[in-house]
Amino acid sequence: LLLVCEVTGTIPDALFSLEQLNILVLSGNPVTGNLPMGFSRLTNLELLYLANNRLSGPITPLSNLPRLKELFLPQNSFSGSLPSELGNFTALTCLDLSYNLLSGSIPSSMGNMASLQRLELLYNKLTGTIPATLSRLHSLTYLDLASNRLTGSIPDSIGFISALKFLGLNHNLLHGSIPASLASLQQLERLTLGDNQLSGGIPAVLGDLPVLQNLVLFSNPLSGSIPTALGKLTNLLGLFITDNQLHGTVPSTLSNLSKLQELFLRGSQFSGRLPSASSPSLTQYRVGGNFFSHGEVKFRNCSAVVWDTSGNCLAGSLRVCGRASNQRPAAGCASFCGVEVGAADPLCGGHGYCSVNAFTAAGECVCDPNYMLNSSNSNACVSGAVGASLASGSAYASLRGSASVLSNGSILLTGGAPNQQGAAFASPVMRLFHIPDKRSPCGTQLGFLAAFSFAMSPGGQGRGGEGLAFVVAAASSEKGAIVGLGGVGRRSVGVEFDSVLSVKHSDPNDNHVGVNVGGSPVSLASATAPLILNDAQTKHAWIHYDPTSAGTLRVFLSSDPVQPLTPTLTASVSLCSALKPTASDSLFLFGFVALSGSQPQRHAIFSWSFTTGMSAEASTS
């Protein structure tokens, strides 16, 4: 076993003289080159692990390994097509070829792999249709074909894979309707069909899946309404039906989903009463961008839920957690505060609009750019530079170093040359503390939620550059000339996405997430990233800061635009101690910094949003 042993070079021919070898593990090494034809001599091989290397070329040299039970080749650069000889691997139980450059179609012969229990082909360049022969894999429990270029419809015959627990088809080009035969998968726990071209309605029979925990249908042109039968999914933890063409009212039967943790219904055409939010486990309630007109939201635990009802037809007084909160309707809905939608509201001093704080559920004014809330009157926006939320498309307080804004609105922090530094901070700056006088060091501290998507290229010779970081820094420190995590001033907190191993900075590896305070390159806390950061693929990150107690910062990371249930990293951080605000200096910048170091690396930010809220008395501990 040579697991992460810094073995370099190509696979030596001497290995193939070990004809009795039955286990070979070379994962996590910078092994390069193609697979030698000598593999055909290892006819007794049962387990082959070559994950996370720099191997390339075709996988055909592995076509004659009759006793192979487990084959793991993810996170390499294998190319070419899937050989039809894979169908001869009748003893194989696990096949993972994910995160490669494989192309062509999925051979129908793979339906002959009678012992197969797990098949992962995600993040390749596979085309063609899903072969109906996969329905013969009666032992298969995990099937993930996400992030390819598969076309055609979802075969009805998939319903015959009775042992299936996970079916992942996200991010393909599949069309047609969702087959009702999926209701035959009585052991299915997660069904992900997001970001395809599926049309028609949601089959009511999906409500007959007794152990389903996650139903993911985002970004499809689905029509019709949500079936009332989905209320029978009593084990459901996450329901993700965003950016569709669904309409009508949300059925009251969803109140039966007592285990629901995440409800995402954004960007459709739902109307009527707001959906139920009665689950005691609820942490996400996202129903913005619809046509909901009324209702009362009753969270069991108001402080634990991040919620969004913006962009609906809600007006006047929306009751949230038993309290009235002002809500501004979206364009096309009735006006609020006696003015036309989009005009300044007199209730906010003529320089903002009425909204709902997504954390505290209290009504507040969101000020226009270059205006801020009056510290003595929360219903007045005065000249300044504080808002409650920012999003992609806002102005930038500064673009420093190599940073630039592309024509599509994306931010390119570094452009692929060595030793570049770039930074971009959003405008307006934001208030994280309400300090009434000098007797209270930090006053009332606000939490925040940052959500953004980004990509990092591999860098020279496949190595990483220095990575990028999300940063909160004192607005007064932005005047400095240098950028980068160490150049934003001592009054700062950063979350780094690092693709370089620095022993002197105590990095855990060359693919980690860390929390850094005071511009220090040494992380206060760090964790291995759950996916490869510098593979040039789009990543989605969410950073939650809870100001209660001593302060907790949670970082979530995913390749999908759906926030995971479990954070990648949790750290105790006191913003009061780190940012050291005063009554006259309590404004802070939100933004990004990146360095390419000695290796050329591109860093891009595609979309972002920052929201403040969830107040608590600040702790200096």
Side-chain angles (χ1 to χ4, degrees), residues 372-376 386 430-444 474-476 491 576 579-588 618:
M372 59 181 287
L373 288 175
N374 188 324
S375 60
S376 62
V386 176
M430 302 179 76
R431 185 182 297 279
L432 288 176
F433 303 87
H434 290 296
I435 305 176
D437 53 55
K438 296 181 180 180
R439 293 173 295 178
S440 178
C442 289
T444 301
S476 55
R491 295 172 57 201
C576 178
L579 300 180
K580 298 178 175 58
T582 65
S584 60
D585 190 0
S586 61
L587 303 181
F588 294 88

Side-chain angles (χ1 to χ4, degrees), residues 108-132:
S108 59
S109 61
M110 293 184 72
N112 299 328
M113 305 167 72
S115 301
L116 200 62
Q117 299 175 15
R118 190 179 184 98
L119 176 58
E120 298 186 60
L121 301 177
L122 62 155
Y123 281 98
N124 279 286
K125 299 180 179 180
L126 298 174
T127 57
T129 61
I130 300 173

